[in-house]
Amino acid sequence: MTALTDHPAPSRTSRGRSWIDHWDPDDERFWAATGRRVAARNLVFSILTEHLGFSVWLLWSIAVLHLPSVGVQLTVGQTLWLTTVPNLVGAAMRIPYTFAPARFGGRNFTVVSALLLLIPCGLFVYAVNNPDIPFWALLLIAATTGLGGGNFASSMANITHFYPASRQGLPLGLNAAGGNLGTSVTQLTMPPLIVAFGLVAVGWVWMPLVLVAAVCAYLFMNNLTRATSAYTMREMAAGARDRQTVIMSVLYIGTFGSFIGYSFSFGVLIKSQFPDVKGANFIWLGACAGSLARPLGGWLADRFGGARVTMVNFFVMGLGVAVVAAAVGAGSWGLFLGAFLLVFVTTGIGNGSTYKMIPAIFRARELAEVDGADPAAVRRATTRARRTAAAAIGIISAVGAAGGVLIQQAFRISIEQSGGIGPALLTLAGFYGVCVVLTWACYLRKVTVGGVRTSLAEAGV
């Protein structure tokens, strides 16, 4: 690469060719000259690894439907627990995974996080070949797939540093969508694979792909020196007490918690409410719709503002879930499927718009404290905002994933107590209504600041 005198190209460091010392994506000339190309290359291979992480994370969501074929008989409650534990572990893993790129380098940890996926795949093969294994051991084996859930946090935290603050909506949406699609790919491709080769193939098929992803990350990704000082555990602890982190965590439960909770539960819900329908033929549609909608949510947020898109989206989510409840009551499979797919689409749009909001919130808050006419002050404020937002994203993504556990347990309790999922759905519709009010009150409602009526949405949130 040829260095430019006033906006140098990414420079290598003595730590190795994979490390980049100079990286300034907010400099328009730097971005146009070399930044965009390097960022896009890292994004592609980040998506690949995150995609496989989600694929492995969701293994048990499809496997539980076929366990009887290998001699494992479970109750509906046990089945839901077997899909809940991976979600819970995946949520917990997002905290350390958020720090890992800053500690070890984004490229380095992408390689490691890919190779760790071999553990749940190998244990899955063992479990299927030993159908007499006790239920507690099945739970522990299923828990290891949570390693795939952690990949999302490390991938998003890493890619955030590659893109300008004003252009993060779409690439973060693409990165997340590429990962989320692993959910539907698992649910779509596994049933025919199981028919052809047996349930054990679900574990074997991902292993060579994981090795390919690790090699590609090693060869084609980069570590950013600036990201290794991104934030500390103390900053994350402080972020956990930040009012904005708490609010966005609740909203992200509503969007990503819903996406992952529904994705894990969809097959079980179809089987329990419409036993004559072959759920394996439809289970993948929901996650696919939600994944493909995520970049749309990021794009809409870039265009109309994350807060506005998020509020309208929660309103539609509430209506959609109410229609799903009506479909269950009427025993209408067509209405159930159509309404649930609409809900999945809204989870994707909401995921994209809320992720756009997070860095925008902290950037608006920092910029409000400095002189906008002072470029150096603006640059320092932007750097502080990146650090704060990166720490907050780790917490928010973990809480959001944990919210999926609450949704799965709501369905389990509803089925065990009432025999159906109607009460759980109506409770969720009420929760989405609360999210509508919360988004409006915190980000769209105008308040007086220095004698001027304004809102965070008007500041770019």
Side-chain angles (χ1 to χ4, degrees):
M1 272 180 254
T2 303
L4 303 178
T5 56
D6 53 350
H7 49 92
S11 57
R12 307 300 177 182
T13 176
S14 59
R15 282 186 285 185
R17 183 176 178 276
S18 65
W19 286 87
I20 295 177
D21 281 334
H22 175 76
W23 187 257
D24 188 8
D26 292 304
D27 183 324
E28 289 290 344
R29 296 183 64 189
F30 171 88
W31 179 249
T34 54
R36 181 186 291 111
R37 177 173 53 82
V38 175
R41 173 163 46 77
N42 280 268
L43 176 62
V44 167
F45 295 104
S46 173
I47 289 174
L48 174 61
T49 304
E50 189 189 342
H51 176 88
L52 292 173
F54 268 84
S55 297
V56 172
W57 194 20
L58 271 288
L59 282 184
W60 288 91
S61 72
I62 189 67
V64 293
L65 302 178
H66 298 272
L67 286 177
S69 68
V70 295
V72 180
Q73 301 295 332
L74 302 174
T75 66
V76 173
Q78 287 177 319
T79 300
L80 284 171
W81 271 115
L82 206 56
T83 59
T84 298
V85 170
N87 196 347
L88 186 62
V89 174
M93 293 304 296
R94 290 186 169 197
I95 298 295
Y97 270 54
T98 298
F99 283 101
R103 177 65 179 83
F104 305 106
R107 170 260 201 179
N108 293 349
F109 190 72
T110 300
V111 174
V112 172
S113 65
L115 293 176
L116 286 174
L117 298 176
L118 296 174
I119 296 173
C121 291
L123 290 176
F124 181 89
V125 171
Y126 173 82
V128 171
N129 285 326
N130 294 271
D132 295 331
I133 191 171
F135 180 66
W136 64 264
L138 274 181
L139 282 178
L140 288 178
I141 290 172
T144 64
T145 62
L147 291 168
N151 278 16
F152 175 88
S154 59
S155 179
M156 295 294 275
N158 181 45
I159 291 302
T160 297
H161 293 286
F162 279 93
Y163 282 86
S166 61
R167 295 191 179 96
Q168 290 183 356
L170 183 57
L172 288 179
L174 290 172
N175 191 53
N180 293 171
L181 273 173
T183 305
S184 58
V185 167
T186 293
Q187 295 171 337
L188 173 63
T189 60
M190 290 306 100
L193 193 68
I194 291 168
V195 171
F197 303 104
L199 185 57
V200 71
V202 174
W204 284 116
V205 69
W206 301 114
M207 294 188 189
L209 299 176
V210 164
L211 292 174
V212 169
V215 171
C216 287
Y218 179 82
L219 294 176
F220 302 117
M221 292 186 70
N222 300 103
N223 302 305
L224 297 181
T225 302
R226 60 175 284 177
T228 59
S229 59
Y231 43 85
T232 65
M233 182 65 78
R234 180 175 297 179
E235 286 174 308
M236 180 171 276
R241 298 188 297 270
D242 193 296
R243 176 175 178 267
Q244 297 300 332
T245 303
V246 173
I247 294 169
M248 289 306 302
S249 293
V250 174
L251 298 185
Y252 203 57
I253 288 174
T255 59
F256 184 77
S258 296
F259 171 80
I260 201 66
Y262 294 149
S263 296
F264 271 108
S265 306
F266 198 33
V268 178
L269 298 183
I270 293 173
K271 186 176 182 179
S272 66
Q273 302 303 303
F274 299 92
D276 295 331
V277 175
K278 192 172 182 180
N281 292 337
F282 301 96
I283 184 175
W284 65 276
L285 288 172
C288 182
S291 301
L292 294 176
R294 186 157 187 160
L296 174 61
W299 179 82
L300 289 171
D302 283 340
R303 184 173 177 83
F304 301 107
R308 294 185 182 89
V309 173
T310 297
M311 188 185 74
V312 173
N313 189 71
F314 273 127
F315 180 76
V316 178
M317 285 182 77
L319 289 179
V321 168
V323 175
V324 172
V328 170
S332 173
W333 161 246
L335 183 60
F336 173 89
L337 180 62
F340 226 133
L341 290 181
L342 171 63
V343 173
F344 268 108
V345 168
T346 58
T347 65
I349 292 174
N351 285 337
S353 62
T354 50
Y355 242 82
K356 168 65 177 178
M357 289 173 67
I358 297 168
I361 289 168
F362 293 104
R363 188 169 188 268
R365 189 170 69 182
E366 291 290 346
L367 290 178
E369 302 295 325
V370 302
D371 181 2
D374 182 352
V378 170
R379 187 177 293 273
R380 289 192 296 271
T382 300
T383 299
R384 289 195 301 271
R386 279 183 180 272
R387 292 170 64 94
T388 307
I393 281 174
I395 299 167
I396 293 166
S397 68
V399 173
V405 175
L406 299 178
I407 289 173
Q408 290 170 276
Q409 290 304 299
F411 285 130
R412 181 185 64 82
I413 294 169
S414 183
I415 290 173
E416 292 180 346
Q417 297 296 321
S418 70
I421 61 174
L425 290 168
L426 293 178
T427 300
L428 287 167
F431 171 63
Y432 297 142
V434 171
C435 289
V436 169
V437 175
L438 186 62
T439 306
W440 173 82
C442 296
Y443 303 113
L444 291 164
R445 180 172 60 95
K446 289 191 174 185
V447 295
T448 302
V449 179
V452 179
R453 295 282 290 173
T454 187
S455 67
L456 276 173
E458 292 178 349
V461 175

